[in-house]
Amino acid sequence: MRGILAAGAAAAVVLVSGGAADAAVYPKYKAPKTFGTTFQADPGHDFTKGIHSRHNGILRGQITHVRGGVAEYEPIKWKKGTRTEGRFVGPREGDVGAYASQIAKNVVFLSAYGCKATMSDLTVSRKTGLGAKRCSRAALIKRHGARPHPALITVHKGRIVKVQEIYTP
């Protein structure tokens, strides 16, 4: 009986420690408006010192390039349309406003379009319009490295720890 209890306790420790390893540990940051119409500021960021990480928090942005586990990303804003509802736009060409951060090994990627390359499965929360399906780090790099997608990008201690896609029809 003691052997069974000890084995059960050991299994519980493994499950708890394995779950904790998957969970990113960082404070809960205040999310910006999903369809905000202005670029988010990053007070104190010095763009003259080359491209580097944004301060801790959540940026409404898009990843523009991925190389060697480092993502370059930029802020985006919603621009209302005349014929359509609108679209997300980045800074004008020539404006300095890009960042670069390492993608955390345990990054949380919440997709609005499913994990497959076809992006045929809608996995968006109807309530928030944000991705709800957890996908792998590899899926994030493959999708966002190939083509920018609007997302809420959470940065903590110089690393991207969460990317939640914004659904746009």
Side-chain angles (χ1 to χ4, degrees):
M1 182 70 154
R2 270 191 268 178
I4 293 172
L5 290 174
V13 168
V14 169
L15 288 175
V16 170
S17 64
D22 290 340
V25 180
Y26 56 89
K28 186 172 180 129
Y29 297 112
K30 185 176 189 269
K33 289 183 178 178
T34 304
F35 293 93
T37 56
T38 59
F39 293 118
Q40 292 170 253
D42 189 10
H45 189 89
D46 188 355
F47 289 102
T48 64
K49 294 189 178 184
I51 188 166
H52 59 280
S53 187
R54 180 178 165 79
H55 288 92
N56 292 346
I58 302 174
L59 174 72
R60 179 184 55 255
Q62 60 188 6
I63 295 173
T64 56
H65 184 72
V66 178
R67 184 181 357 181
V70 175
E72 291 183 17
Y73 52 102
E74 66 184 8
I76 58 174
K77 67 179 181 177
W78 184 254
K79 183 175 181 180
K80 294 184 182 193
T82 54
R83 295 183 184 163
T84 64
E85 290 182 38
R87 62 188 170 94
F88 282 105
V89 296
R92 288 187 307 214
E93 191 158 338
D95 283 357
V96 178
Y99 306 96
S101 299
Q102 188 78 27
I103 300 173
K105 297 287 183 201
N106 60 345
V107 65
V108 174
F109 173 39
L110 299 173
S111 171
Y113 305 98
C115 299
K116 297 178 183 152
T118 59
M119 295 178 37
S120 59
D121 301 328
L122 283 183
T123 54
V124 63
S125 165
R126 291 178 190 238
K127 184 178 179 182
T128 64
L130 299 171
K133 170 86 172 160
R134 185 162 183 171
C135 300
S136 69
R137 180 178 189 266
L140 166 69
I141 291 170
K142 186 174 183 180
R143 181 175 305 160
H144 287 260
R147 190 179 84 132
H149 292 275
L152 297 181
I153 303 167
T154 304
V155 177
H156 181 69
K157 293 185 178 179
R159 296 191 181 278
I160 296 174
V161 294
K162 183 177 180 182
V163 176
Q164 190 169 21
E165 288 180 330
I166 301 170
Y167 174 72
T168 53

